[in-house]
């Protein structure tokens, strides 16, 4: 199995990067959509429109991309025999944090779709930077492999 994965490594890597970009794009877009929803009263047509858009973003881009990133990434790690590498442990920790952020953000958007407003515009703007910071750290770990 490990040998078969090694032979298709470049395809796994390409898919991993492509779907990571989709996942990150969605994570950057979702807090922005929440900010746009704040401009609409709970129960309004505008709120319903943004709730629908956020639901589609989650269902069509965010969650499927995250799952594909995990499957391809773990396949590459197994094929490369990297599970004993410190850099991979650090990367996986950050990707678990990114996945947790994803889940938390999905929960917040579902609350907003129900008419709740759990987060302020300022908070949404600040948390919108979380994926960027995690992405920088993850990319550094993958390319530098410092340990």
């Amino acid at each position: 199995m490990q040998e078969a994965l090694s032979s298709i490594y470049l395809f796994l890597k390409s898919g991993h990067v492509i779907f990571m970009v989709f996942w990150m794009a969605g994570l950057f877009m979702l807090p922005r959509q929440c900010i746009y929803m704040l401009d609409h009263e709970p129960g309004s047509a505008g709120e319903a429109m943004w709730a629908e858009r956020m639901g589609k973003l989650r269902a069509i881009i965010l969650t499927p991309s995250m799952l594909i990133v995990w499957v391809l990434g773990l396949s590459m790690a197994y094929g490369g025999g990297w599970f004993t590498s410190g850099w991979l442990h650090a990367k996986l920790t950050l990707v678990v944090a990114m996945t947790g952020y994803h889940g938390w953000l999905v929960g917040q958007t579902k609350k907003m779709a129900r008419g709740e407003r759990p987060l302020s515009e300022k908070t949404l703007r600040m948390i919108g930077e979380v994926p960027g910071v995690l992405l920088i750290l993850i990319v550094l770990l993958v390319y530098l492999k410092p340990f």
Side-chain angles (χ1 to χ4, degrees):
M1 177 71 162
Q2 201 169 13
E3 195 171 303
L5 289 173
S6 295
S7 68
I8 60 168
Y9 172 77
L10 292 178
F11 290 103
L12 295 173
K13 185 177 181 178
S14 298
H16 183 71
V17 171
I18 290 165
F19 284 96
M20 178 274 304
V21 170
F22 291 161
W23 186 26
M24 293 297 98
L27 288 177
F28 288 130
M29 288 174 59
L30 201 54
R32 174 58 51 194
Q33 289 183 339
C34 290
I35 291 169
Y36 296 150
M37 184 186 252
L38 290 176
D39 292 336
H40 300 277
E41 292 296 319
S44 70
E47 180 196 55
M49 176 190 67
W50 283 107
E52 181 181 358
R53 288 176 180 174
M54 289 189 295
K56 286 180 178 178
L57 177 63
R58 290 189 318 259
I60 297 169
I61 297 172
L62 266 174
T63 300
S65 295
M66 177 193 66
L67 295 172
I68 292 168
V69 165
W70 269 104
V71 168
L72 296 177
L74 291 174
S75 297
M76 283 191 306
Y78 179 74
W82 301 328
F83 281 110
T84 58
S85 302
W87 68 269
L88 182 65
H89 293 189
K91 177 193 176 187
L92 287 174
T93 300
L94 294 173
V95 177
V96 166
M98 184 90 72
T99 303
Y101 170 82
H102 171 126
W104 176 81
L105 190 57
V106 164
Q108 299 305 304
T109 61
K110 288 180 179 181
K111 287 179 184 177
M112 291 186 75
R114 292 192 304 262
E116 300 174 35
R117 298 295 187 259
L119 303 170
S120 69
E121 181 178 343
K122 182 179 180 180
T123 300
L124 286 165
R125 289 182 187 281
M126 289 174 45
I127 65 164
E129 304 304 323
V130 168
V133 172
L134 290 172
L135 179 62
I136 290 166
L137 296 172
I138 290 166
V139 168
L140 288 172
L141 284 167
V142 169
Y143 282 93
L144 300 177
K145 295 179 177 56
F147 42 88

